[in-house]
Short mmCIF file of all heavy atoms in Angstrom, two decimals:
data_model
loop_
_atom_site.label_atom_id
_atom_site.label_comp_id
_atom_site.label_asym_id
_atom_site.label_seq_id
_atom_site.Cartn_x
_atom_site.Cartn_y
_atom_site.Cartn_z
N TYR A 657 -36.33 -10.43 22.88
CA TYR A 657 -36.08 -11.12 21.63
C TYR A 657 -35.41 -10.17 20.64
O TYR A 657 -35.80 -9.02 20.51
CB TYR A 657 -37.38 -11.63 21.02
CG TYR A 657 -38.06 -12.73 21.79
CD1 TYR A 657 -39.36 -13.12 21.45
CD2 TYR A 657 -37.43 -13.39 22.83
CE1 TYR A 657 -39.99 -14.14 22.14
CE2 TYR A 657 -38.06 -14.40 23.52
CZ TYR A 657 -39.35 -14.77 23.17
OH TYR A 657 -39.98 -15.77 23.85
N TYR A 660 -37.16 -12.41 16.84
CA TYR A 660 -38.44 -13.13 16.82
C TYR A 660 -39.52 -12.16 17.28
O TYR A 660 -39.45 -11.61 18.39
CB TYR A 660 -38.38 -14.34 17.76
CG TYR A 660 -39.60 -15.24 17.69
CD1 TYR A 660 -39.59 -16.41 16.95
CD2 TYR A 660 -40.78 -14.90 18.35
CE1 TYR A 660 -40.70 -17.22 16.87
CE2 TYR A 660 -41.90 -15.70 18.29
CZ TYR A 660 -41.85 -16.86 17.55
OH TYR A 660 -42.97 -17.67 17.48
N SER A 662 -43.83 -11.26 17.44
CA SER A 662 -45.18 -11.80 17.37
C SER A 662 -46.17 -10.78 17.90
O SER A 662 -45.81 -9.84 18.62
CB SER A 662 -45.29 -13.10 18.18
OG SER A 662 -45.04 -12.84 19.56
N VAL A 797 -47.69 -16.33 17.36
CA VAL A 797 -47.62 -16.37 18.83
C VAL A 797 -46.16 -16.40 19.29
O VAL A 797 -45.24 -16.54 18.48
CB VAL A 797 -48.36 -17.61 19.39
CG1 VAL A 797 -49.85 -17.53 19.09
CG2 VAL A 797 -47.76 -18.90 18.82
N ASP A 798 -45.96 -16.29 20.59
CA ASP A 798 -44.64 -16.34 21.20
C ASP A 798 -43.99 -17.71 20.99
O ASP A 798 -44.68 -18.72 20.75
CB ASP A 798 -44.76 -16.04 22.70
CG ASP A 798 -43.42 -15.92 23.38
OD1 ASP A 798 -42.80 -14.85 23.29
OD2 ASP A 798 -42.98 -16.92 23.99
N ILE A 799 -42.66 -17.77 21.11
CA ILE A 799 -41.92 -19.02 20.95
C ILE A 799 -42.50 -20.13 21.83
O ILE A 799 -42.73 -21.26 21.38
CB ILE A 799 -40.43 -18.83 21.28
CG1 ILE A 799 -39.76 -17.92 20.26
CG2 ILE A 799 -39.69 -20.18 21.31
CD1 ILE A 799 -38.33 -17.55 20.61
N ALA A 800 -42.76 -19.81 23.09
CA ALA A 800 -43.22 -20.82 24.04
C ALA A 800 -44.60 -21.35 23.72
O ALA A 800 -44.99 -22.41 24.22
CB ALA A 800 -43.22 -20.23 25.46
N GLU A 801 -45.33 -20.67 22.84
CA GLU A 801 -46.69 -21.08 22.50
C GLU A 801 -46.81 -21.64 21.09
O GLU A 801 -47.91 -21.96 20.64
CB GLU A 801 -47.64 -19.88 22.65
CG GLU A 801 -47.68 -19.30 24.05
CD GLU A 801 -48.46 -18.00 24.11
OE1 GLU A 801 -48.84 -17.48 23.04
OE2 GLU A 801 -48.69 -17.50 25.23
N LEU A 802 -45.69 -21.78 20.39
CA LEU A 802 -45.74 -22.15 18.98
C LEU A 802 -46.38 -23.51 18.75
O LEU A 802 -47.24 -23.66 17.88
CB LEU A 802 -44.33 -22.17 18.38
CG LEU A 802 -43.88 -20.92 17.62
CD1 LEU A 802 -42.46 -21.11 17.09
CD2 LEU A 802 -44.83 -20.57 16.50
N TYR A 803 -45.94 -24.52 19.49
CA TYR A 803 -46.44 -25.87 19.23
C TYR A 803 -47.41 -26.29 20.33
O TYR A 803 -47.02 -26.42 21.49
CB TYR A 803 -45.30 -26.89 19.10
CG TYR A 803 -45.80 -28.22 18.58
CD1 TYR A 803 -46.08 -28.39 17.23
CD2 TYR A 803 -46.04 -29.29 19.44
CE1 TYR A 803 -46.57 -29.60 16.75
CE2 TYR A 803 -46.53 -30.50 18.96
CZ TYR A 803 -46.79 -30.64 17.61
OH TYR A 803 -47.29 -31.84 17.13
N PHE A 812 -40.26 -30.81 19.20
CA PHE A 812 -40.37 -29.35 19.18
C PHE A 812 -39.74 -28.71 20.41
O PHE A 812 -39.39 -27.54 20.39
CB PHE A 812 -41.84 -28.92 19.05
CG PHE A 812 -42.00 -27.64 18.29
CD1 PHE A 812 -42.19 -27.66 16.91
CD2 PHE A 812 -41.95 -26.42 18.93
CE1 PHE A 812 -42.30 -26.48 16.20
CE2 PHE A 812 -42.07 -25.23 18.23
CZ PHE A 812 -42.25 -25.25 16.86
N MET A 816 -37.75 -25.26 20.21
CA MET A 816 -38.06 -24.10 21.03
C MET A 816 -36.83 -23.62 21.79
O MET A 816 -36.54 -22.41 21.85
CB MET A 816 -39.18 -24.44 22.00
CG MET A 816 -39.66 -23.27 22.83
SD MET A 816 -41.07 -23.70 23.89
CE MET A 816 -40.24 -24.75 25.11
N LEU A 819 -34.55 -21.83 19.39
CA LEU A 819 -35.04 -20.50 19.04
C LEU A 819 -34.73 -19.50 20.15
O LEU A 819 -34.33 -18.36 19.88
CB LEU A 819 -36.54 -20.55 18.78
CG LEU A 819 -36.97 -21.14 17.43
CD1 LEU A 819 -38.48 -21.31 17.38
CD2 LEU A 819 -36.50 -20.25 16.28
N PHE A 820 -34.91 -19.91 21.40
CA PHE A 820 -34.54 -19.05 22.52
C PHE A 820 -33.04 -18.72 22.47
O PHE A 820 -32.63 -17.57 22.64
CB PHE A 820 -34.86 -19.72 23.86
CG PHE A 820 -36.29 -19.57 24.29
CD1 PHE A 820 -37.07 -20.69 24.53
CD2 PHE A 820 -36.86 -18.32 24.46
CE1 PHE A 820 -38.39 -20.56 24.93
CE2 PHE A 820 -38.18 -18.18 24.87
CZ PHE A 820 -38.95 -19.30 25.10
N GLN A 823 -31.91 -16.12 19.97
CA GLN A 823 -32.20 -14.73 20.31
C GLN A 823 -31.05 -14.08 21.09
O GLN A 823 -30.92 -12.87 21.11
CB GLN A 823 -33.49 -14.62 21.13
CG GLN A 823 -34.70 -15.26 20.49
CD GLN A 823 -34.85 -14.92 19.04
OE1 GLN A 823 -34.92 -13.75 18.66
NE2 GLN A 823 -34.89 -15.93 18.18
#
Side-chain angles (χ1 to χ4, degrees):
Y657 293 169
Y660 187 100
S662 63
V797 295
D798 186 81
I799 293 173
E801 300 171 352
L802 263 181
Y803 191 77
F812 212 91
M816 184 176 71
L819 283 172
F820 278 122
Q823 305 314 303

